[in-house]
Amino acid sequence: VREAGDSVLTYPSLDFHDFCAVYEQVVLREREALYPKLEAWLDDTKPRGDDIAEQMRVFLKSLGLISTKETVTEMLQAGGLHNRRCDCMEELWRVVAAHRACEGFSYEDIDRAKEEHDRMSKDTPSRFTSSQVISEALLSLATVYCAEHLNGVIGELGEERLQKGPLSFYEFMIMYRRLHHITMKTMADSFEKADTDRDGVITLNEATDCLRQLGFTLLRAELQEMLELT
């Protein structure tokens, strides 16, 4: 997919026909890469239970897409799949499309991001948007654990772009998506490492160790209180 997308760089400019040709190549490469993984999921005969949202969370994870069960439930609802079994190729493609549409964000996540982008734009009246302002906005949405990745994510945008004027909401969401993916992947990896028997459940002590690895030190009583609030 990246190769197909990078082929745009070979064009001095693109008309609509060129753009459609590149888009078709990107879609084709993506489908070719995903199809064997979807087939493998359908061919796997092990019991998965009746919780479709949880099944689809695990399915997306097998594609490298980390989401919470609550977000997947919203995703299925938005994609018209809330009352479907998602056990055929067509419906799995619709699940992938539903994730692509929301990029793994819940409605609440998107609303918060819009509010933060509006606040950032209001507090930055000049044409120049500093990386510090963007960092503060992104950290208000993500966790402090991802702070070490901020410079890299903002750097991908480029200093030249920052000099050209305020960021659009789309550009802001691209950076938020990168940090969100890093955070979710790190938490999922930490949980999976602690879940040694692979039953999807960890003990309080294991949860405390996971949080410590993510930079949070909690007393057992504090963790218990947090679990009671969820």
Side-chain angles (χ1 to χ4, degrees):
V1 173
R2 182 176 294 276
E3 289 178 5
D6 287 346
S7 66
V8 174
L9 299 176
T10 65
Y11 291 75
S13 61
L14 284 82
D15 59 19
F16 183 66
H17 174 74
D18 293 331
F19 176 78
C20 289
V22 172
Y23 174 76
E24 288 175 359
Q25 281 297 312
V26 170
V27 172
L28 179 62
R29 296 288 181 84
E30 182 181 57
R31 282 185 169 270
E32 288 176 346
L34 288 177
Y35 191 84
K37 296 182 179 181
L38 270 63
E39 273 194 324
W41 176 266
L42 293 173
D43 290 342
D44 189 346
T45 58
K46 68 181 179 184
R48 295 193 175 106
D50 296 322
D51 190 337
I52 304 303
E54 176 60 17
Q55 287 185 38
M56 291 302 98
R57 184 194 68 78
V58 176
F59 163 67
L60 289 170
K61 186 173 182 291
S62 73
L63 304 181
L65 305 171
I66 312 299
S67 296
T68 64
K69 181 180 173 181
E70 291 74 16
T71 301
V72 173
T73 300
E74 280 191 9
M75 193 187 308
L76 296 178
Q77 182 77 28
L81 294 163
H82 58 286
N83 59 351
R84 309 301 289 267
R85 297 293 302 174
C86 299
D87 56 359
C88 65
M89 186 65 72
E90 177 188 353
E91 290 179 358
L92 289 183
W93 278 120
R94 288 173 62 185
V95 172
V96 173
H99 183 279
R100 174 62 58 82
C102 70
E103 294 289 3
F105 290 117
S106 66
Y107 293 130
E108 182 181 356
D109 291 333
I110 296 172
D111 287 342
R112 286 178 57 234
K114 185 65 170 67
E115 291 174 2
E116 194 58 38
H117 176 264
D118 289 345
R119 185 200 62 75
M120 182 183 71
S121 300
K122 183 179 179 181
D123 294 346
T124 312
S126 66
R127 295 188 66 246
F128 174 73
T129 304
S130 71
S131 58
Q132 179 63 33
V133 170
I134 299 172
S135 295
E136 291 173 358
L138 289 171
L139 277 177
S140 71
L141 297 170
T143 68
V144 293
Y145 180 81
C146 70
E148 63 182 283
H149 304 287
L150 273 173
N151 289 337
V153 170
I154 296 174
E156 291 174 2
L157 191 65
E159 190 65 29
E160 183 179 347
R161 169 61 190 89
L162 296 178
Q163 297 285 351
K164 289 183 177 179
L167 295 180
S168 67
F169 180 60
Y170 174 75
E171 291 172 309
F172 183 70
M173 284 299 290
I174 289 176
M175 291 187 289
Y176 180 26
R177 179 185 64 190
R178 290 273 289 111
L179 287 178
H180 181 74
H181 175 75
I182 290 170
T183 301
M184 294 297 291
K185 179 72 166 57
T186 302
M187 288 193 295
D189 289 347
S190 181
F191 184 93
E192 195 169 277
K193 184 178 180 181
D195 183 20
T196 54
D197 57 3
R198 297 293 182 266
D199 65 348
V201 178
I202 60 176
T203 66
L204 278 179
N205 287 336
E206 290 169 337
T208 302
D209 290 338
C210 283
L211 290 171
R212 187 178 297 113
Q213 293 174 27
L214 296 172
F216 302 98
T217 302
L218 298 177
L219 298 175
R220 185 182 180 86
E222 292 174 322
L223 180 59
Q224 184 66 53
E225 182 179 354
M226 290 181 63
L227 292 175
E228 291 173 356
L229 292 175
T230 59

